[in-house]
Amino acid sequence: MMNSYSGFGRIMLTIVMAMCLRIAPWPSFLSGINPDWVLLVLIYWTIAVPERIGIFHAWTVGLLTDVLTGRVFGQYALAYTLIIYFCLILHKRLRQFPLPQQGLFIFFCLLFSQILLFWLKNIQHPAQLHTSFWLPVFTGTLCWPLIYTALRRVRLSRRTK
């Protein structure tokens, strides 16, 4: 029973660390390419342990991300919930894919999230779409192998103890 709580604690700790990366004060040249760390971590944990992380967690973490980033309440919650839903549907298949194919899936998840967030922002007031808007999608896709490897070590280190 204690092992179950420590595993969930590790998951929450990585999500909190991702939230810290999300709101960290980056230099101006890095702030424009800062990927959605929270979504990447949620995707990993949903694929790795879908019985522990699901739609409710995505919604809750999305609401917290809305508060942290100052967005309209529910934007990230909606985006995270939809993406995690697709990850839950496809998690058995995604586990079998090699990292480059997973990266392609991650690319489309991040792209869908950016498009959805832009659409929601455009509903509030018309916004201009800049090319820099798409950079976090590419950097998030490039960071996926690092996130996958790091979080896999965190997950498997629990088993060896």
Side-chain angles (χ1 to χ4, degrees), residues 94 98-110 141 144:
L94 289 170
L99 275 178
Q101 286 181 342
Q102 283 183 5
L104 187 62
F105 177 77
I106 296 300
F107 173 79
F108 285 113
C109 286
L110 294 173
T141 304
W144 174 249

Side-chain angles (χ1 to χ4, degrees), residues 38-104:
V38 180
L39 181 57
L40 290 169
V41 170
L42 278 173
I43 289 171
Y44 173 80
W45 287 117
T46 303
I47 293 170
V49 283
E51 65 277 359
R52 291 200 179 195
I53 297 295
I55 294 174
F56 172 76
H57 297 98
W59 179 261
T60 305
V61 170
L63 289 177
L64 290 173
T65 305
D66 285 325
V67 171
L68 285 174
T69 58
R71 291 273 191 146
V72 172
F73 205 55
Q75 287 183 356
Y76 280 106
L78 175 64
Y80 290 178
T81 302
L82 290 173
I83 290 170
I84 295 306
Y85 174 73
F86 290 124
C87 291
L88 284 170
I89 290 173
L90 299 171
H91 81 274
K92 289 182 183 178
R93 208 174 279 174
L94 289 170
R95 283 184 186 177
Q96 305 302 319
F97 290 162
L99 275 178
Q101 286 181 342
Q102 283 183 5
L104 187 62

Side-chain angles (χ1 to χ4, degrees), residues 6 19 21 27 61 66 73 79 81 86 90 92 97 115 122-123 133 135 149 158:
S6 70
M19 286 183 171
L21 283 173
V61 170
D66 285 325
F73 205 55
T81 302
F86 290 124
L90 299 171
K92 289 182 183 178
F97 290 162
I115 290 171
N122 206 21
I123 287 175
F133 185 76
L135 290 177
T149 305
R158 179 180 57 154

